[in-house]
Structure formats: C-alpha cells, structure tokens
Amino acid sequence: MIEYRARVGLALSAAVLAGTMTGVVAAAPARAAGCVDVHVVAARGTNEPGGLWSQYKLGTVVGNPVYAAIDDRLSQSTNAYRVQYPAGYEQPASVQAGNRDLVDHVVARAAACPDQQFVLVGYSQGANVVDNSIGISSAGARVGGPIVATLPAELAPRIAAILLFGNPIRGVGREVTGVYADRTYDVCNDNDPVCDPRGKDWNVHMQYKRYADEAAAFVAARVRPA
C-alpha cells in the first residue's frame, strides 16, 4: 500500500509539473473578499443623512430601510455600498461625481466577484446618479447633469434590479427606457415637487420608506437563485 501511494504521488507530481510547463494547469481566479450573491449599491438624496447607527450609512429616508428589506427578503447573501459623492447642490459636479463613483465601483466589483449580481438604488439626486450610470441623462432635471460614465453593456445582465424613489427626471418627462426598463422600480409620490411636474409639497418627498417591502419583493422576483 505504501509503495502504491508513492507511485500515485510521483505520477501526480509529474502530471502537475508537465501541465505547468505546457500551460495546461492554471490557478483559478481568486474570489475577492466581500463577494456575495447580491450587492446593493445605493446613492442617497441631496443632504440626506446616512444614518449614524446603520452598518452602511446608505441614507435614512430610502437606502437603509430598502436595504434592510432586501436583506430580509432574500435567501441569497447580500452586502451594500454607499456611493461616495457630495450629494450637494453644486451641479452638475455633485451628480457627476456620484455617476463616476457608481460606475467605477460596479465595474471593479464585477471583475472581482464574477458571480455577483447587483441592485442599484437611488433616491432624489441619487436617482439621477443611477439614471446617468445606466445611460439616461439627468441634464435639465433637479440636481442633475450630463452623463460622464456609463456601465458597460456586458454588465447589463448582472444588474438584477434598479430601484428609484423620487426620481427627478420624471419631473421633466423622462423615465428609464431600453434594456433596463423591465428591471426598474420607479416610484414618485403624488405632489412630490422633485418628480411630479405639478408637485408642491416637500413633505411627501420624505415619505418613501413605506415602499421598502414592495421594492424588496420586486428585487426578489428578479435575482437569480443562489
């Protein structure tokens, strides 16, 4: 038995050496730390607090409650990323900074995590960030601007869902069209001055948490099983 094991070990060693010399054997790509089944990328609204005690500080009005609902609803593993941008009134610089960061982040994570799916979440100005990143210009809308970066077309199948709340482009008669249209959940409260062309009540612009469970169900119907 000892002699047999020795022969097998020698044979395997020779095979590995031969394969290495001929380029047949190659190391599998490393899976980056933090890879999950579903990665949520959220862009908060203008001057929206991130949430002091929340894990990812995605935004108190939309990002945090929506991510919590998604994580609770899905059986797949999840984590989240807060888009790094000013979320301020200096336009188009602010929304364009978010546009660049979102695209750069998703491209990098897609390369590091080949099996990972993405959910993009945007509230108010953050919805403009998402709009621009998928190729829908927010120029002319509140806290918007021209596109500076767009997600590569080859990543489109990995964007499982897009969730938009108080989306400013709706106030100028635009919406998400094209390849992402059937994967987009886009809600605007009546009389919201950011997304409703006739809106006048700023209080309703803060009332989007109530859609968190509905948005999570939308996501659950579109992500691949683990």
Short mmCIF file of all heavy atoms in Angstrom, two decimals, residues 21-89:
data_model
loop_
_atom_site.label_atom_id
_atom_site.label_comp_id
_atom_site.label_asym_id
_atom_site.label_seq_id
_atom_site.Cartn_x
_atom_site.Cartn_y
_atom_site.Cartn_z
N MET A 21 4.44 23.27 -17.18
CA MET A 21 5.40 23.62 -18.24
C MET A 21 4.69 23.89 -19.55
O MET A 21 5.13 24.72 -20.34
CB MET A 21 6.40 22.47 -18.41
CG MET A 21 7.32 22.30 -17.19
SD MET A 21 8.42 20.89 -17.37
CE MET A 21 9.41 21.40 -18.76
N THR A 22 3.57 23.22 -19.80
CA THR A 22 2.88 23.40 -21.08
C THR A 22 1.76 24.40 -21.00
O THR A 22 1.10 24.69 -21.99
CB THR A 22 2.31 22.05 -21.56
OG1 THR A 22 1.38 21.57 -20.59
CG2 THR A 22 3.40 21.03 -21.77
N GLY A 23 1.50 24.94 -19.80
CA GLY A 23 0.45 25.93 -19.66
C GLY A 23 -0.93 25.34 -19.50
O GLY A 23 -1.92 26.05 -19.54
N VAL A 24 -1.01 24.00 -19.31
CA VAL A 24 -2.32 23.35 -19.19
C VAL A 24 -2.94 23.65 -17.84
O VAL A 24 -4.12 23.89 -17.71
CB VAL A 24 -2.19 21.84 -19.41
CG1 VAL A 24 -3.49 21.13 -19.10
CG2 VAL A 24 -1.75 21.56 -20.84
N VAL A 25 -2.15 23.61 -16.77
CA VAL A 25 -2.66 23.82 -15.43
C VAL A 25 -2.54 25.29 -15.08
O VAL A 25 -1.47 25.87 -15.17
CB VAL A 25 -1.88 22.97 -14.40
CG1 VAL A 25 -2.35 23.29 -12.98
CG2 VAL A 25 -2.05 21.49 -14.71
N ALA A 26 -3.65 25.90 -14.70
CA ALA A 26 -3.65 27.32 -14.33
C ALA A 26 -4.44 27.49 -13.05
O ALA A 26 -5.43 26.81 -12.83
CB ALA A 26 -4.28 28.17 -15.44
N ALA A 27 -3.99 28.41 -12.23
CA ALA A 27 -4.69 28.68 -10.98
C ALA A 27 -6.04 29.31 -11.26
O ALA A 27 -6.17 30.15 -12.15
CB ALA A 27 -3.85 29.62 -10.11
N ALA A 28 -7.06 28.91 -10.51
CA ALA A 28 -8.39 29.50 -10.65
C ALA A 28 -8.35 30.95 -10.18
O ALA A 28 -7.60 31.29 -9.27
CB ALA A 28 -9.40 28.72 -9.83
N PRO A 29 -9.14 31.84 -10.79
CA PRO A 29 -9.15 33.23 -10.35
C PRO A 29 -9.56 33.33 -8.89
O PRO A 29 -10.50 32.66 -8.45
CB PRO A 29 -10.21 33.89 -11.25
CG PRO A 29 -10.61 32.89 -12.27
CD PRO A 29 -10.09 31.57 -11.86
N ALA A 30 -8.86 34.17 -8.16
CA ALA A 30 -9.16 34.34 -6.75
C ALA A 30 -10.46 35.10 -6.57
O ALA A 30 -10.76 36.03 -7.32
CB ALA A 30 -8.02 35.10 -6.07
N ARG A 31 -11.26 34.70 -5.61
CA ARG A 31 -12.51 35.38 -5.29
C ARG A 31 -12.19 36.44 -4.26
O ARG A 31 -11.68 36.14 -3.19
CB ARG A 31 -13.53 34.38 -4.76
CG ARG A 31 -14.90 34.96 -4.43
CD ARG A 31 -15.80 33.83 -3.96
NE ARG A 31 -17.05 34.33 -3.42
CZ ARG A 31 -18.16 34.50 -4.13
NH1 ARG A 31 -18.14 34.21 -5.41
NH2 ARG A 31 -19.27 34.93 -3.57
N ALA A 32 -12.49 37.69 -4.56
CA ALA A 32 -12.13 38.79 -3.68
C ALA A 32 -12.92 38.73 -2.39
O ALA A 32 -14.04 38.21 -2.33
CB ALA A 32 -12.39 40.12 -4.39
N ALA A 33 -12.34 39.29 -1.34
CA ALA A 33 -13.04 39.38 -0.07
C ALA A 33 -14.28 40.26 -0.24
O ALA A 33 -14.26 41.24 -0.97
CB ALA A 33 -12.11 39.99 0.98
N GLY A 34 -15.34 39.88 0.42
CA GLY A 34 -16.56 40.67 0.35
C GLY A 34 -17.51 40.30 -0.77
O GLY A 34 -18.55 40.93 -0.93
N CYS A 35 -17.19 39.28 -1.55
CA CYS A 35 -18.09 38.86 -2.62
C CYS A 35 -19.32 38.18 -2.02
O CYS A 35 -19.21 37.37 -1.10
CB CYS A 35 -17.39 37.89 -3.57
SG CYS A 35 -16.07 38.65 -4.55
N VAL A 36 -20.48 38.53 -2.54
CA VAL A 36 -21.75 37.97 -2.07
C VAL A 36 -22.60 37.64 -3.29
O VAL A 36 -22.22 37.92 -4.42
CB VAL A 36 -22.49 38.95 -1.15
CG1 VAL A 36 -21.77 39.13 0.17
CG2 VAL A 36 -22.71 40.30 -1.83
N ASP A 37 -23.78 37.08 -3.05
CA ASP A 37 -24.68 36.79 -4.17
C ASP A 37 -25.28 38.07 -4.76
O ASP A 37 -25.38 38.22 -5.98
CB ASP A 37 -25.82 35.88 -3.70
CG ASP A 37 -25.33 34.51 -3.25
OD1 ASP A 37 -24.42 33.97 -3.90
OD2 ASP A 37 -25.85 34.00 -2.25
N VAL A 38 -25.70 38.99 -3.89
CA VAL A 38 -26.36 40.23 -4.33
C VAL A 38 -25.73 41.42 -3.62
O VAL A 38 -25.76 41.51 -2.39
CB VAL A 38 -27.87 40.19 -4.04
CG1 VAL A 38 -28.53 41.48 -4.51
CG2 VAL A 38 -28.52 38.98 -4.71
N HIS A 39 -25.17 42.33 -4.40
CA HIS A 39 -24.52 43.52 -3.87
C HIS A 39 -25.40 44.73 -4.18
O HIS A 39 -25.69 45.03 -5.34
CB HIS A 39 -23.15 43.67 -4.53
CG HIS A 39 -22.32 44.80 -4.00
ND1 HIS A 39 -22.03 44.96 -2.66
CD2 HIS A 39 -21.70 45.84 -4.64
CE1 HIS A 39 -21.26 46.02 -2.49
NE2 HIS A 39 -21.07 46.58 -3.68
N VAL A 40 -25.83 45.43 -3.14
CA VAL A 40 -26.70 46.60 -3.28
C VAL A 40 -25.86 47.87 -3.28
O VAL A 40 -25.06 48.09 -2.36
CB VAL A 40 -27.74 46.65 -2.15
CG1 VAL A 40 -28.61 47.90 -2.27
CG2 VAL A 40 -28.61 45.39 -2.15
N VAL A 41 -26.02 48.68 -4.31
CA VAL A 41 -25.28 49.94 -4.44
C VAL A 41 -26.29 51.07 -4.34
O VAL A 41 -27.20 51.17 -5.17
CB VAL A 41 -24.52 50.00 -5.78
CG1 VAL A 41 -23.77 51.32 -5.92
CG2 VAL A 41 -23.56 48.82 -5.90
N ALA A 42 -26.16 51.92 -3.34
CA ALA A 42 -27.18 52.93 -3.06
C ALA A 42 -26.60 54.34 -3.09
O ALA A 42 -25.55 54.61 -2.51
CB ALA A 42 -27.82 52.67 -1.70
N ALA A 43 -27.32 55.23 -3.77
CA ALA A 43 -26.96 56.65 -3.84
C ALA A 43 -28.02 57.45 -3.08
O ALA A 43 -29.19 57.45 -3.46
CB ALA A 43 -26.86 57.12 -5.29
N ARG A 44 -27.61 58.12 -2.01
CA ARG A 44 -28.56 58.84 -1.17
C ARG A 44 -29.00 60.14 -1.84
O ARG A 44 -28.43 60.57 -2.83
CB ARG A 44 -27.94 59.12 0.20
CG ARG A 44 -26.79 60.12 0.18
CD ARG A 44 -25.98 60.05 1.47
NE ARG A 44 -25.06 61.18 1.59
CZ ARG A 44 -23.93 61.32 0.91
NH1 ARG A 44 -23.59 60.38 0.03
NH2 ARG A 44 -23.16 62.37 1.08
N GLY A 45 -30.02 60.78 -1.24
CA GLY A 45 -30.54 62.02 -1.77
C GLY A 45 -29.75 63.24 -1.31
O GLY A 45 -28.83 63.14 -0.48
N THR A 46 -30.10 64.38 -1.83
CA THR A 46 -29.41 65.62 -1.51
C THR A 46 -29.46 65.89 -0.01
O THR A 46 -30.53 65.96 0.60
CB THR A 46 -30.05 66.81 -2.25
OG1 THR A 46 -30.06 66.52 -3.66
CG2 THR A 46 -29.28 68.09 -2.02
N ASN A 47 -28.27 66.01 0.59
CA ASN A 47 -28.12 66.29 2.03
C ASN A 47 -28.81 65.26 2.92
O ASN A 47 -29.08 65.55 4.10
CB ASN A 47 -28.64 67.69 2.37
CG ASN A 47 -27.79 68.80 1.78
OD1 ASN A 47 -26.61 68.59 1.49
ND2 ASN A 47 -28.37 69.96 1.56
N GLU A 48 -29.08 64.08 2.40
CA GLU A 48 -29.74 63.05 3.21
C GLU A 48 -28.73 62.45 4.19
O GLU A 48 -27.66 62.00 3.78
CB GLU A 48 -30.29 61.94 2.31
CG GLU A 48 -31.01 60.85 3.07
CD GLU A 48 -31.39 59.67 2.19
OE1 GLU A 48 -30.95 59.62 1.02
OE2 GLU A 48 -32.12 58.79 2.68
N PRO A 49 -29.07 62.41 5.48
CA PRO A 49 -28.16 61.77 6.44
C PRO A 49 -27.98 60.30 6.13
O PRO A 49 -28.94 59.62 5.72
CB PRO A 49 -28.89 61.96 7.79
CG PRO A 49 -29.88 63.06 7.56
CD PRO A 49 -30.28 62.95 6.11
N GLY A 50 -26.77 59.81 6.31
CA GLY A 50 -26.51 58.41 6.02
C GLY A 50 -27.12 57.46 7.03
O GLY A 50 -27.46 56.33 6.71
N GLY A 51 -27.27 57.94 8.27
CA GLY A 51 -27.78 57.08 9.34
C GLY A 51 -26.63 56.69 10.26
O GLY A 51 -25.85 55.80 9.94
N LEU A 52 -26.51 57.39 11.38
CA LEU A 52 -25.35 57.26 12.25
C LEU A 52 -25.11 55.84 12.73
O LEU A 52 -23.98 55.38 12.81
CB LEU A 52 -25.51 58.20 13.46
CG LEU A 52 -24.34 58.27 14.43
CD1 LEU A 52 -23.08 58.75 13.72
CD2 LEU A 52 -24.68 59.17 15.62
N TRP A 53 -26.19 55.12 13.04
CA TRP A 53 -26.03 53.79 13.64
C TRP A 53 -26.22 52.65 12.63
O TRP A 53 -26.23 51.48 13.01
CB TRP A 53 -27.02 53.62 14.80
CG TRP A 53 -26.88 54.72 15.81
CD1 TRP A 53 -27.78 55.72 16.06
CD2 TRP A 53 -25.78 54.94 16.69
NE1 TRP A 53 -27.31 56.56 17.04
CE2 TRP A 53 -26.08 56.11 17.45
CE3 TRP A 53 -24.57 54.29 16.91
CZ2 TRP A 53 -25.21 56.61 18.40
CZ3 TRP A 53 -23.70 54.80 17.86
CH2 TRP A 53 -24.02 55.94 18.60
N SER A 54 -26.38 52.98 11.37
CA SER A 54 -26.57 51.93 10.37
C SER A 54 -25.23 51.36 9.91
O SER A 54 -24.20 52.03 9.99
CB SER A 54 -27.34 52.48 9.17
OG SER A 54 -26.62 53.52 8.54
N GLN A 55 -25.24 50.15 9.40
CA GLN A 55 -23.99 49.48 9.02
C GLN A 55 -23.31 50.15 7.84
O GLN A 55 -22.10 50.37 7.84
CB GLN A 55 -24.26 48.01 8.70
CG GLN A 55 -23.00 47.24 8.32
CD GLN A 55 -23.26 45.78 8.03
OE1 GLN A 55 -24.42 45.33 8.05
NE2 GLN A 55 -22.22 45.01 7.79
N TYR A 56 -24.10 50.49 6.80
CA TYR A 56 -23.51 51.01 5.58
C TYR A 56 -23.78 52.50 5.36
O TYR A 56 -23.24 53.08 4.43
CB TYR A 56 -24.05 50.22 4.37
CG TYR A 56 -23.68 48.76 4.41
CD1 TYR A 56 -24.64 47.79 4.69
CD2 TYR A 56 -22.37 48.33 4.17
CE1 TYR A 56 -24.32 46.46 4.72
CE2 TYR A 56 -22.04 47.00 4.20
CZ TYR A 56 -23.01 46.05 4.48
OH TYR A 56 -22.69 44.71 4.52
N LYS A 57 -24.67 53.10 6.17
CA LYS A 57 -24.97 54.54 6.08
C LYS A 57 -25.46 54.91 4.67
O LYS A 57 -24.96 55.83 4.03
CB LYS A 57 -23.76 55.38 6.49
CG LYS A 57 -23.34 55.13 7.94
CD LYS A 57 -22.11 55.92 8.31
CE LYS A 57 -21.82 55.79 9.80
NZ LYS A 57 -21.66 54.40 10.25
N LEU A 58 -26.46 54.17 4.21
CA LEU A 58 -26.96 54.33 2.85
C LEU A 58 -27.98 55.46 2.71
O LEU A 58 -28.32 55.83 1.59
CB LEU A 58 -27.61 53.03 2.38
CG LEU A 58 -26.73 51.77 2.47
CD1 LEU A 58 -27.53 50.55 2.07
CD2 LEU A 58 -25.48 51.91 1.63
N GLY A 59 -28.49 55.97 3.83
CA GLY A 59 -29.48 57.04 3.79
C GLY A 59 -30.68 56.69 4.65
O GLY A 59 -31.20 55.58 4.59
N THR A 60 -31.13 57.66 5.45
CA THR A 60 -32.20 57.38 6.40
C THR A 60 -33.58 57.27 5.75
O THR A 60 -34.44 56.56 6.24
CB THR A 60 -32.24 58.48 7.48
OG1 THR A 60 -32.38 59.75 6.83
CG2 THR A 60 -30.97 58.48 8.30
N VAL A 61 -33.79 58.00 4.65
CA VAL A 61 -35.12 58.02 4.02
C VAL A 61 -35.36 56.78 3.18
O VAL A 61 -36.43 56.18 3.23
CB VAL A 61 -35.30 59.29 3.17
CG1 VAL A 61 -36.67 59.30 2.48
CG2 VAL A 61 -35.13 60.54 4.01
N VAL A 62 -34.37 56.38 2.40
CA VAL A 62 -34.56 55.26 1.45
C VAL A 62 -33.51 54.17 1.62
O VAL A 62 -33.85 53.00 1.81
CB VAL A 62 -34.55 55.78 -0.01
CG1 VAL A 62 -34.41 54.63 -0.99
CG2 VAL A 62 -35.83 56.55 -0.30
N GLY A 63 -32.25 54.49 1.52
CA GLY A 63 -31.20 53.47 1.42
C GLY A 63 -31.21 52.44 2.53
O GLY A 63 -31.22 51.23 2.27
N ASN A 64 -31.21 52.90 3.77
CA ASN A 64 -31.16 51.95 4.90
C ASN A 64 -32.41 51.08 4.98
O ASN A 64 -32.28 49.85 5.09
CB ASN A 64 -30.95 52.71 6.21
CG ASN A 64 -29.58 53.36 6.29
OD1 ASN A 64 -28.63 52.93 5.64
ND2 ASN A 64 -29.46 54.41 7.08
N PRO A 65 -33.63 51.65 4.97
CA PRO A 65 -34.80 50.78 5.06
C PRO A 65 -34.97 49.86 3.86
O PRO A 65 -35.41 48.71 4.01
CB PRO A 65 -35.98 51.76 5.19
CG PRO A 65 -35.48 53.07 4.71
CD PRO A 65 -34.02 53.08 5.03
N VAL A 66 -34.61 50.33 2.68
CA VAL A 66 -34.74 49.49 1.49
C VAL A 66 -33.73 48.34 1.53
O VAL A 66 -34.08 47.18 1.25
CB VAL A 66 -34.60 50.32 0.20
CG1 VAL A 66 -34.43 49.42 -1.02
CG2 VAL A 66 -35.82 51.22 0.03
N TYR A 67 -32.49 48.63 1.91
CA TYR A 67 -31.51 47.54 2.00
C TYR A 67 -31.92 46.53 3.07
O TYR A 67 -31.82 45.31 2.86
CB TYR A 67 -30.11 48.07 2.31
CG TYR A 67 -29.16 46.93 2.58
CD1 TYR A 67 -28.80 46.06 1.55
CD2 TYR A 67 -28.68 46.66 3.86
CE1 TYR A 67 -27.97 44.97 1.78
CE2 TYR A 67 -27.86 45.58 4.11
CZ TYR A 67 -27.50 44.74 3.06
OH TYR A 67 -26.70 43.65 3.31
N ALA A 68 -32.42 47.00 4.21
CA ALA A 68 -32.85 46.08 5.27
C ALA A 68 -33.96 45.17 4.77
O ALA A 68 -33.97 43.96 5.07
CB ALA A 68 -33.31 46.88 6.49
N ALA A 69 -34.89 45.72 4.00
CA ALA A 69 -35.99 44.91 3.46
C ALA A 69 -35.48 43.90 2.45
O ALA A 69 -35.95 42.74 2.42
CB ALA A 69 -37.04 45.82 2.83
N ILE A 70 -34.53 44.30 1.61
CA ILE A 70 -33.95 43.37 0.63
C ILE A 70 -33.22 42.23 1.33
O ILE A 70 -33.40 41.05 1.02
CB ILE A 70 -32.99 44.12 -0.32
CG1 ILE A 70 -33.77 45.07 -1.23
CG2 ILE A 70 -32.17 43.14 -1.15
CD1 ILE A 70 -32.89 46.02 -2.03
N ASP A 71 -32.39 42.58 2.30
CA ASP A 71 -31.61 41.58 3.02
C ASP A 71 -32.53 40.60 3.75
O ASP A 71 -32.26 39.39 3.81
CB ASP A 71 -30.68 42.27 4.01
CG ASP A 71 -29.75 41.31 4.70
OD1 ASP A 71 -29.04 40.57 4.01
OD2 ASP A 71 -29.74 41.27 5.95
N ASP A 72 -33.63 41.11 4.29
CA ASP A 72 -34.58 40.25 5.00
C ASP A 72 -35.35 39.34 4.03
O ASP A 72 -35.65 38.19 4.36
CB ASP A 72 -35.56 41.13 5.78
CG ASP A 72 -36.52 40.32 6.63
OD1 ASP A 72 -36.04 39.61 7.54
OD2 ASP A 72 -37.74 40.38 6.38
N ARG A 73 -35.63 39.84 2.85
CA ARG A 73 -36.46 39.11 1.88
C ARG A 73 -35.69 38.01 1.16
O ARG A 73 -36.24 36.94 0.86
CB ARG A 73 -37.02 40.10 0.86
CG ARG A 73 -37.97 39.51 -0.17
CD ARG A 73 -39.29 39.12 0.45
NE ARG A 73 -40.22 38.57 -0.53
CZ ARG A 73 -41.38 39.13 -0.86
NH1 ARG A 73 -41.76 40.26 -0.28
NH2 ARG A 73 -42.16 38.57 -1.75
N LEU A 74 -34.43 38.25 0.86
CA LEU A 74 -33.67 37.32 0.03
C LEU A 74 -33.05 36.19 0.85
O LEU A 74 -32.59 36.39 1.97
CB LEU A 74 -32.55 38.05 -0.71
CG LEU A 74 -32.95 39.15 -1.70
CD1 LEU A 74 -31.72 39.70 -2.39
CD2 LEU A 74 -33.95 38.62 -2.74
N SER A 75 -32.99 35.01 0.25
CA SER A 75 -32.25 33.91 0.85
C SER A 75 -30.77 33.99 0.48
O SER A 75 -29.92 33.40 1.13
CB SER A 75 -32.84 32.57 0.39
OG SER A 75 -32.77 32.46 -1.03
N GLN A 76 -30.47 34.74 -0.58
CA GLN A 76 -29.09 34.90 -1.02
C GLN A 76 -28.31 35.83 -0.06
O GLN A 76 -28.90 36.66 0.63
CB GLN A 76 -29.04 35.50 -2.43
CG GLN A 76 -29.63 34.62 -3.50
CD GLN A 76 -31.10 34.90 -3.75
OE1 GLN A 76 -31.83 35.32 -2.87
NE2 GLN A 76 -31.56 34.67 -4.99
N SER A 77 -27.01 35.68 -0.06
CA SER A 77 -26.17 36.56 0.75
C SER A 77 -26.13 37.96 0.12
O SER A 77 -26.17 38.10 -1.10
CB SER A 77 -24.75 36.00 0.87
OG SER A 77 -24.15 35.87 -0.40
N THR A 78 -26.07 38.99 0.95
CA THR A 78 -26.05 40.37 0.46
C THR A 78 -25.06 41.21 1.25
O THR A 78 -24.69 40.88 2.39
CB THR A 78 -27.44 41.04 0.60
OG1 THR A 78 -27.67 41.40 1.98
CG2 THR A 78 -28.57 40.15 0.12
N ASN A 79 -24.63 42.29 0.63
CA ASN A 79 -24.00 43.40 1.35
C ASN A 79 -24.28 44.66 0.55
O ASN A 79 -25.02 44.62 -0.45
CB ASN A 79 -22.51 43.16 1.63
CG ASN A 79 -21.68 43.01 0.38
OD1 ASN A 79 -22.11 43.32 -0.74
ND2 ASN A 79 -20.46 42.49 0.53
N ALA A 80 -23.73 45.79 0.97
CA ALA A 80 -24.11 47.06 0.34
C ALA A 80 -22.93 48.02 0.28
O ALA A 80 -21.95 47.88 1.01
CB ALA A 80 -25.28 47.70 1.07
N TYR A 81 -23.08 49.00 -0.59
CA TYR A 81 -22.06 50.04 -0.78
C TYR A 81 -22.77 51.39 -0.89
O TYR A 81 -23.76 51.52 -1.62
CB TYR A 81 -21.26 49.77 -2.05
CG TYR A 81 -20.31 50.89 -2.43
CD1 TYR A 81 -19.10 51.05 -1.76
CD2 TYR A 81 -20.62 51.78 -3.47
CE1 TYR A 81 -18.22 52.07 -2.12
CE2 TYR A 81 -19.75 52.80 -3.82
CZ TYR A 81 -18.55 52.94 -3.15
OH TYR A 81 -17.68 53.95 -3.49
N ARG A 82 -22.28 52.37 -0.17
CA ARG A 82 -22.78 53.74 -0.27
C ARG A 82 -21.98 54.48 -1.34
O ARG A 82 -20.76 54.60 -1.24
CB ARG A 82 -22.65 54.43 1.08
CG ARG A 82 -22.79 55.95 1.02
CD ARG A 82 -22.66 56.52 2.42
NE ARG A 82 -22.33 57.94 2.40
CZ ARG A 82 -22.65 58.80 3.35
NH1 ARG A 82 -23.33 58.38 4.41
NH2 ARG A 82 -22.30 60.05 3.29
N VAL A 83 -22.64 54.97 -2.36
CA VAL A 83 -21.96 55.75 -3.41
C VAL A 83 -21.30 56.95 -2.77
O VAL A 83 -21.92 57.70 -2.00
CB VAL A 83 -22.95 56.18 -4.51
CG1 VAL A 83 -22.26 57.11 -5.51
CG2 VAL A 83 -23.52 54.96 -5.23
N GLN A 84 -20.03 57.14 -3.09
CA GLN A 84 -19.24 58.23 -2.50
C GLN A 84 -19.35 59.47 -3.38
O GLN A 84 -18.74 59.55 -4.44
CB GLN A 84 -17.79 57.79 -2.36
CG GLN A 84 -17.60 56.56 -1.48
CD GLN A 84 -18.10 56.78 -0.06
OE1 GLN A 84 -17.65 57.69 0.63
NE2 GLN A 84 -19.03 55.93 0.37
N TYR A 85 -20.16 60.43 -2.92
CA TYR A 85 -20.31 61.68 -3.66
C TYR A 85 -20.89 62.74 -2.74
O TYR A 85 -21.44 62.41 -1.67
CB TYR A 85 -21.16 61.47 -4.91
CG TYR A 85 -22.66 61.54 -4.76
CD1 TYR A 85 -23.38 62.55 -5.41
CD2 TYR A 85 -23.38 60.60 -4.01
CE1 TYR A 85 -24.77 62.60 -5.30
CE2 TYR A 85 -24.75 60.66 -3.91
CZ TYR A 85 -25.45 61.66 -4.56
OH TYR A 85 -26.82 61.74 -4.45
N PRO A 86 -20.78 64.03 -3.09
CA PRO A 86 -21.20 65.08 -2.16
C PRO A 86 -22.69 65.09 -1.83
O PRO A 86 -23.07 65.51 -0.73
CB PRO A 86 -20.80 66.38 -2.88
CG PRO A 86 -19.78 65.98 -3.88
CD PRO A 86 -20.13 64.58 -4.28
N ALA A 87 -23.53 64.68 -2.76
CA ALA A 87 -24.99 64.78 -2.60
C ALA A 87 -25.37 66.20 -2.19
O ALA A 87 -26.20 66.41 -1.30
CB ALA A 87 -25.50 63.76 -1.58
N GLY A 88 -24.76 67.17 -2.87
CA GLY A 88 -25.00 68.57 -2.56
C GLY A 88 -25.66 69.31 -3.70
O GLY A 88 -26.08 68.71 -4.70
N TYR A 89 -25.73 70.64 -3.56
CA TYR A 89 -26.42 71.46 -4.55
C TYR A 89 -25.52 71.97 -5.67
O TYR A 89 -26.01 72.58 -6.61
CB TYR A 89 -27.08 72.66 -3.85
CG TYR A 89 -28.25 72.26 -2.98
CD1 TYR A 89 -28.14 72.28 -1.59
CD2 TYR A 89 -29.46 71.85 -3.54
CE1 TYR A 89 -29.21 71.91 -0.79
CE2 TYR A 89 -30.53 71.48 -2.74
CZ TYR A 89 -30.40 71.51 -1.36
OH TYR A 89 -31.46 71.14 -0.56
#
